[in-house]
Amino acid sequence: MPAPSRRSFIMKTAGLGCKVCGWGLLALMSAGAVQAADARYPQRPVRLVVPFTAGGSTDLVARVIADTMHASLGQPVVVDNRSGASGLIGAEAVANAAPDGYTIGLGTISTLVVNPVMLPQSARLDQAKALVPVVALASIPSVFSVHPNLGVHHYGQVIALARSKPGQLNIGSAGVGSIGHLIAERINADLKIKLHHIPYKGQGPVVSSALSGETHVLSDQYPSSAPHVAAGRLTPFAVAAQERLPALPQVPTFKELGYPALNDLAITWFGIVAPAGTPPVVVNKLNSAANAALQDAAVQERLQSMGVQALGGAPQRLSSLIDETSLTVRQTVREQGLQPAAAR
């Protein structure tokens, strides 16, 4: 075969060079298009997945924040309740969504800390790899109360009664391996009492059982228990909060009673997370919108009326909350000899 002429060789290599240049130009144009799309985000409504049923404290706070984020984003933030399996179903819906910022989720102490420890290995979601923190939203104090029929009215009387009747007073939780279960175990260990743990399918039935007298001690987020406390259907004896609640100035915190680990474990917090791989510019826009919502005067007034403390800040604040609470949860699990539960 004759060697190609110098002219034909130049023409062929020039053509190959044009193709390579074309491919490189196409890649640059694609990257530029993605960056431009990120810069214009959002261009349609954003879905906020709440991994619990509507009407609970977490859902109520999420809706207050979501409604106000609209002002900064220019698009609605629509709450989508995906309950089940202690929040695992909702968390997986976020983790499996496209990382474009149009599906985000509410991450809680249950989904981000408790489930990775207490669910079986086969059912766990590795949130460190599947989700990225966006912003810490709020913390909610818990109130510990008893049914009025017990005839006790403050902390000392409750503990004395429980110690006189070991195993005879019941405490409910949202299920084996739930945060409520861990709190019940921590109460027994720290307060040197023996409450009988009864698992239910969700926090709603837990509250109902306490109101009916089926269970005697209730651990619940303050916003959902507040109406029952105000009506005299529940008698509060302690709270888990950084300081006493203005609405319950006579009720001590577990921190001041000498049980800081129990106090911290029972303070519920949550924040916004997004699927891993979400562009930083999108995460930053969501973070800014959430912080703006938390600084809104009407939002602050609404949260304060519910006993909720606004948090906010950079995504790293949510990361720190996850790390710090994980230490307490793992310590409780280790000390009480608890084992992972079946997928709930």
Side-chain angles (χ1 to χ4, degrees):
M1 178 181 292
S5 67
R6 182 171 182 273
R7 175 182 174 83
S8 64
F9 176 78
I10 293 175
M11 292 298 291
K12 287 181 180 180
T13 53
L16 178 60
C18 289
K19 288 182 180 180
V20 172
C21 290
W23 293 333
L25 181 60
L26 181 60
L28 289 174
M29 291 176 63
S30 298
V34 171
Q35 292 176 354
D38 293 344
R40 293 193 300 268
Y41 168 87
Q43 296 177 283
R44 63 178 188 270
V46 176
R47 181 172 63 123
L48 174 61
V49 176
V50 174
F52 301 103
T53 55
S57 300
T58 304
D59 175 72
L60 293 175
V61 175
R63 292 177 184 275
V64 170
I65 303 299
D67 288 346
T68 313
M69 286 177 67
H70 184 182
S72 297
L73 294 176
Q75 292 287 346
V77 178
V78 182
V79 172
D80 179 10
N81 296 93
R82 295 287 190 93
S83 62
S86 294
L88 182 63
I89 292 176
E92 287 181 336
V94 178
N96 294 329
D100 54 11
Y102 289 101
T103 297
I104 57 179
L106 201 73
T108 70
I109 186 173
S110 293
T111 62
L112 299 177
V113 176
V114 177
N115 284 351
V117 174
M118 292 305 298
L119 284 179
Q121 190 71 39
S122 60
R124 297 178 190 176
L125 174 68
D126 188 346
Q127 59 86 19
K129 295 180 179 178
L131 303 168
V132 294
V134 174
V135 65
L137 284 181
S139 66
I140 301 179
S142 290
V143 59
F144 294 76
S145 55
V146 294
H147 194 278
N149 287 350
L150 287 182
V152 290
H153 305 285
H154 56 73
Y155 172 80
Q157 292 178 336
V158 173
I159 300 306
L161 178 63
R163 287 176 179 167
S164 71
K165 296 183 176 183
Q168 297 180 48
L169 299 185
N170 301 327
I171 183 170
S173 81
V176 174
S178 66
I179 182 64
H181 180 200
L182 299 186
I183 291 171
E185 295 288 347
R186 190 98 206 182
I187 287 175
N188 282 339
D190 289 4
L191 306 186
K192 303 298 189 294
I193 59 177
K194 182 59 178 177
L195 300 176
H196 176 61
H197 171 238
I198 300 179
Y200 292 86
K201 293 184 178 180
Q203 188 65 12
V206 173
V207 176
S208 296
S209 71
L211 292 171
S212 69
E214 179 181 356
T215 54
H216 308 97
V217 179
L218 173 65
S219 165
D220 188 35
Q221 293 176 0
Y222 174 70
S224 56
S225 276
H228 305 303
V229 170
R233 293 188 290 269
L234 294 172
T235 302
F237 66 88
V239 296
Q242 296 305 325
E243 56 188 22
R244 294 194 182 197
L245 303 181
L248 301 173
Q250 78 285 5
V251 181
T253 68
F254 274 123
K255 182 178 180 179
E256 66 181 280
L257 290 169
Y259 307 107
L262 172 58
N263 195 78
D264 291 346
L265 182 65
I267 297 176
T268 298
W269 52 258
F270 50 86
I272 293 177
V273 294
T278 301
V281 65
V282 173
V283 171
N284 290 337
K285 283 191 176 182
L286 289 167
N287 177 274
S288 296
N291 275 296
L294 291 170
Q295 294 166 9
D296 182 85
V299 169
Q300 291 183 353
E301 182 178 357
R302 178 76 174 114
L303 295 181
Q304 290 172 4
S305 70
M306 298 167 63
V308 175
Q309 179 185 3
L311 296 178
Q316 289 73 22
R317 186 174 189 181
L318 180 55
S319 298
S320 297
L321 277 175
I322 295 171
D323 293 341
E324 292 166 4
T325 310
S326 292
L327 293 176
T328 303
V329 167
R330 292 182 185 280
Q331 178 188 20
T332 300
V333 170
R334 183 176 62 254
E335 291 177 352
Q336 304 309 313
L338 301 177
Q339 298 297 322
R344 299 180 295 279

